[in-house]
Amino acid sequence: MNTTSHTATPLFTTPDTVTRKMGKFTLRYRPYTLTLKHVFTIAAGSRSTTPVVLVELEYDGVAGYGEASMPPYLGESHESVLAFLNRVDLTAFSDPFLTEDILTYIDSLAMKNTAAKASIDIALHDLLGKLMGQSLHRIWGYNPKTTPDTTLTIGIDTPEIVRQKVREADSFKILKVKLGLDTDKLMIETIREVTDKPLCVDANQGWKKREEALEMAHWLAERGVIFLEQPMPKEQVDDNAWLTAHSPIPTVGDEAVQRLSDIRSAHGVYSGINIKLMKCTGLREAHKMAELARALDMKVMLGCMTETSCAISAAAQLSPVVDWADLDGALLISNDVYQGMTVERGKVVLPDRPGIGIAFC
């Protein structure tokens, strides 16, 4: 175990960094704003930035790193995450390996705040891997050679920009297309002018009528779409189940499947689930979600928000055991502060470093 006194990195010595000593732990965190390379448009709206909070958790001279990313639909903000982290008190814990105790306590602090909880969870898992000198995927016994290809997301845009985005994604083997507006067919037809690669689509709850959704599913299947993510509002449970039963391609629940407790109710409604660390409070629960979905014979997709390579590399540790990956969040931003998981010829490549495998840029 490393007993050398840890000095916070320059990333955590800024004027807006909060530093709190709590027994054997020191927690540091600061707000940060990610800048997107392109304006990102989905059925619910457009944005060019995403607020995040960066976290450092130190124990015995070793530091783990985490992150909370807050896209609009999570209902979190810099203020809400900082307020949550200000409530965290790890003084009662002296052993970082008691993850169930620590993370159960973290989860008990509020009903929601899942991204804030994920920032602690990721930092703790990164810390444990470093204390053990092993990457998380090795600790879990996963084979890094079995990682899937990851999609690159093409947001809703003008035909000219869509063509540009598709050309920029030349090294990727599969693309994810945002739909859910009245331009859906134009989006797919524009992409098909440039490439015949397999596609998956995410309607982000944008379709409202099941008959029209089924018609679109058949139309999309004929154009090389391999699965359909969150086609209709999550509240339309019966409609989504009907669509899944009749669709020529699998359906995946995203907004409808936030945490472990949502999976059983999603069974039979969707063909699979999309696991995201920011929805489910982090790696501990994500790991359990993947195992339960497998036990129920459901497909497993591993997704992300707009994030730095910290949260992306953390999620990637689970990628060897999923069917599909959508881990492009760090590739969509222009101001990443870490390096970690990479993509080579479209395939997720796990870094050979302890913990979640990140280093500073």
Side-chain angles (χ1 to χ4, degrees):
M1 186 177 294
N2 183 357
T3 57
T4 303
S5 178
H6 171 74
T7 301
T9 68
L11 192 62
F12 292 92
T13 55
T14 59
D16 57 356
T17 296
V18 177
T19 300
R20 298 175 57 213
K21 179 73 174 176
M22 294 174 278
K24 292 190 174 184
F25 291 94
T26 299
L27 181 63
R28 299 181 180 92
Y29 43 93
R30 57 164 297 207
Y32 190 68
T33 299
L34 302 181
T35 303
L36 292 158
K37 295 176 181 177
H38 295 283
V39 174
F40 190 65
T41 300
I42 62 174
S46 302
R47 56 188 166 90
S48 57
T49 62
T50 298
V52 300
V53 172
L54 307 177
V55 169
E56 179 185 68
L57 182 63
E58 178 192 345
Y59 175 89
D60 200 21
V62 180
Y65 297 95
E67 170 184 3
S69 173
M70 293 85 71
Y73 89 88
L74 280 183
E76 296 191 63
S77 63
H78 277 151
E79 292 73 23
S80 69
V81 171
L82 294 173
F84 180 90
L85 295 176
N86 286 338
R87 296 175 58 193
V88 172
D89 185 357
L90 300 177
T91 305
F93 303 99
S94 59
D95 184 350
F97 287 92
L98 298 180
T99 55
E100 286 294 318
D101 291 351
I102 294 171
L103 296 175
T104 297
Y105 157 72
I106 294 295
D107 200 13
S108 74
L109 290 176
M111 286 293 294
K112 296 183 178 179
N113 296 102
T114 55
K117 294 172 183 179
S119 69
I120 298 292
D121 171 286
I122 295 168
L124 181 60
H125 279 87
D126 189 36
L127 173 63
L128 295 181
K130 289 174 177 174
L131 291 171
M132 298 173 71
Q134 297 290 342
S135 62
L136 288 180
H137 68 269
R138 285 183 61 84
I139 293 171
W140 290 331
Y142 296 160
N143 183 353
K145 294 181 180 179
T146 63
T147 57
D149 293 329
T150 181
T151 60
L152 186 74
T153 301
I154 309 297
I156 300 169
D157 219 313
T158 64
E160 181 181 357
I161 298 298
V162 168
R163 292 186 196 99
Q164 177 188 340
K165 290 178 179 179
V166 173
R167 293 187 183 102
E168 290 175 359
D170 183 63
S171 62
F172 289 79
K173 297 178 181 178
I174 180 172
L175 302 177
K176 177 177 175 178
V177 186
K178 292 290 187 177
L179 299 183
L181 300 179
D182 57 6
T183 56
D184 288 351
K185 290 187 176 182
L186 176 61
M187 280 285 296
I188 299 299
E189 289 167 346
T190 300
I191 290 170
R192 282 293 175 241
E193 292 174 9
V194 182
T195 183
D196 60 358
K197 293 176 182 178
L199 306 176
C200 58
V201 304
D202 183 1
N204 282 116
Q205 308 183 87
W207 301 339
K208 308 305 180 188
K209 297 180 179 180
R210 67 185 192 179
E211 292 81 8
E212 293 177 4
L214 180 60
E215 180 183 345
M216 276 298 298
H218 280 282
W219 188 87
L220 292 168
E222 292 169 357
R223 285 153 182 82
V225 172
I226 59 175
F227 69 84
L228 175 59
E229 187 178 347
Q230 201 59 61
M232 290 179 285
K234 62 182 182 180
E235 295 82 7
Q236 295 179 213
V237 176
D238 291 343
D239 289 337
N240 279 300
W242 180 89
L243 176 62
T244 297
H246 294 84
S247 175
I249 53 178
T251 62
V252 175
D254 181 10
E255 286 89 346
V257 185
Q258 305 283 322
R259 301 198 57 176
L260 180 67
S261 58
D262 297 323
I263 293 180
R264 290 194 181 277
S265 59
H267 185 233
V269 179
Y270 303 95
S271 312
I273 63 168
N274 186 356
I275 300 172
K276 295 178 180 177
L277 301 189
M278 297 302 140
K279 293 190 304 182
C280 74
T281 74
L283 286 162
R284 177 184 72 145
E285 190 150 321
H287 198 195
K288 294 177 180 180
M289 290 177 73
E291 291 183 336
L292 177 56
R294 285 291 187 215
L296 294 172
D297 198 28
M298 298 180 76
K299 295 288 187 180
V300 179
M301 178 182 179
L302 189 61
C304 66
M305 309 300 185
T306 308
E307 301 163 353
T308 74
S309 289
C310 176
I312 294 295
S313 299
Q317 300 298 316
L318 286 165
S319 66
V321 294
V322 306
D323 297 288
W324 304 302
D326 178 32
L327 296 176
D328 63 347
L331 301 175
L332 304 177
I333 63 174
S334 60
N335 59 339
D336 201 351
V337 291
Y338 302 101
Q339 53 185 313
M341 185 209 88
T342 57
V343 179
E344 295 182 9
R345 295 183 295 279
K347 182 180 172 66
V348 171
V349 178
L350 298 174
D352 187 19
R353 302 187 190 99
I356 62 174
I358 60 169
F360 291 93
C361 291

